[in-house]
């Protein structure tokens, strides 16, 4: 999904800003960099300031115009410190932008477009955008350095992406999710143990439904589910052969 989020820098003046933007991107898991007519590229300063993100700089695509940079995109968001009079949908808050960008990146490439250090994006370039976003800042001094603007928006995208991963339980640390069949077996096992233990003594309490909902929210991984199955089996043995005195 993050592979579908592209950072586009328009006519960057200082090559060092390209390197710093690449670094900002890579820290947030973004790697797709497109440069529209950079003044000076490739350049040692860009590579030097990229630090460990020199691979992002090396694989950057260079094009002549913004139209070419975004032609395959399903959404194009122009970042701008100043509100333009163009009637484009405008995100006042980067997290609102990130919500939609992360959704749309499931359908195809999405571009976040950043303007020149000196005068930002032209009106003509903004016409190639479907949306605009501003980073709320000090009203008396609200223009960020180019790479810092990239950092803020990349962070928001990454944050939203992480939240979605948590919700879908697909983060790499948790391991694969169980199949519906494995879940059905687990719930049948749980039901059996609850019945054998005499736990389901209030038929109207909808205990099984509540537990279903609980496990649906928790989204246990396969490994966690087999741990629970092990626990149920141990309890089952205990129910069959209660210890002396119980
Ligand atoms: N002097 C330019 C700003 C250049 S800063 C101007 O007044 O437009 C370079 C780029 O960083 C901008 O074109 C924009 O893409 C991004 N940027 C800087 N500050 C921003 C902010 N507060 N919100 C959104 N984007 C910002």
């Amino acid at each position: 999904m993050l592979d579908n989020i592209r950072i586009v820098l328009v006519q960057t003046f200082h090559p060092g800003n390209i390197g710093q933007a690449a670094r900002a991107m890579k820290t947030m898991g973004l790697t797709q960099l497109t440069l529209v007519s950079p003044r000076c590229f490739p350049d040692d300063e860009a590579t030097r300031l990229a630090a460990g993100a020199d691979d992002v700089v090396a694989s950057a695509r260079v094009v002549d115009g913004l139209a070419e940079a975004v032609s395959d995109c399903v959404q194009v968001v122009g970042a701008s410190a100043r509100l333009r009079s163009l009637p484009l949908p405008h995100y006042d808050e980067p997290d609102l932008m990130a919500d939609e960008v992360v959704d749309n990146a499931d359908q195809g490439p999405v571009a976040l477009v950043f303007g020149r250090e000196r005068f930002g994006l032209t009106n003509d370039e903004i016409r190639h955008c479907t949306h605009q976003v501003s980073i709320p800042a000090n009203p008396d001094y609200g223009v960020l350095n180019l790479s810092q603007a990239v950092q803020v928006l990349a962070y928001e995208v990454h944050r939203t992406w992480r939240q979605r991963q948590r919700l879908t339980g697909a983060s790499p640390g948790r391991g694969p999710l169980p199949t519906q069949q494995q879940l059905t077996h687990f719930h049948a096992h749980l039901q059996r143990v609850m019945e054998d233990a005499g736990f389901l003594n209030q038929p109207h309490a909808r205990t099984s439904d509540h537990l279903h909902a609980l496990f649906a929210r928790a989204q246990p991984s396969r490994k966690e589910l087999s741990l629970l199955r092990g626990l149920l089996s141990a309890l089952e043995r205990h129910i069959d052969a209660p210890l002396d005195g119980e």
Side-chain angles (χ1 to χ4, degrees), residues 16-144:
N17 278 337
I18 297 175
Q20 283 175 325
R23 183 175 183 175
M25 288 169 61
K26 190 168 174 180
T27 56
M28 297 297 134
L30 301 180
T31 54
Q32 305 299 309
L33 175 61
T34 298
L35 305 171
V36 178
S37 305
R39 184 180 64 89
C40 200
F41 188 82
D43 188 273
D44 286 349
E45 187 73 349
T47 310
R48 195 173 67 76
L49 288 180
D54 49 344
D55 54 334
V56 174
V57 171
S59 63
R61 184 175 147 228
V62 180
V63 297
D64 288 335
L66 183 56
E68 188 183 346
V70 301
S71 61
D72 58 336
C73 291
V74 295
Q75 184 183 18
V76 180
V77 184
S80 182
R82 295 171 288 139
L83 246 188
R84 311 291 181 123
S85 48
L86 292 173
L88 281 181
H90 183 267
Y91 303 110
D92 303 322
E93 297 289 343
D95 58 332
L96 302 178
M97 172 218 69
D99 255 358
E100 292 194 14
V101 159
V102 168
D103 274 349
N104 291 332
D106 274 338
Q107 320 291 319
V110 172
L112 305 184
V113 182
F114 297 81
R116 303 156 185 79
E117 294 93 328
R118 290 190 184 163
F119 57 95
L121 295 167
T122 64
N123 278 345
D124 223 32
E125 284 158 352
I126 292 188
R127 280 193 193 92
H128 287 292
C129 299
T130 58
H131 294 76
Q132 281 186 274
V133 63
S134 327
I135 301 163
N138 180 353
D140 298 326
Y141 189 69
V143 179
L144 283 73

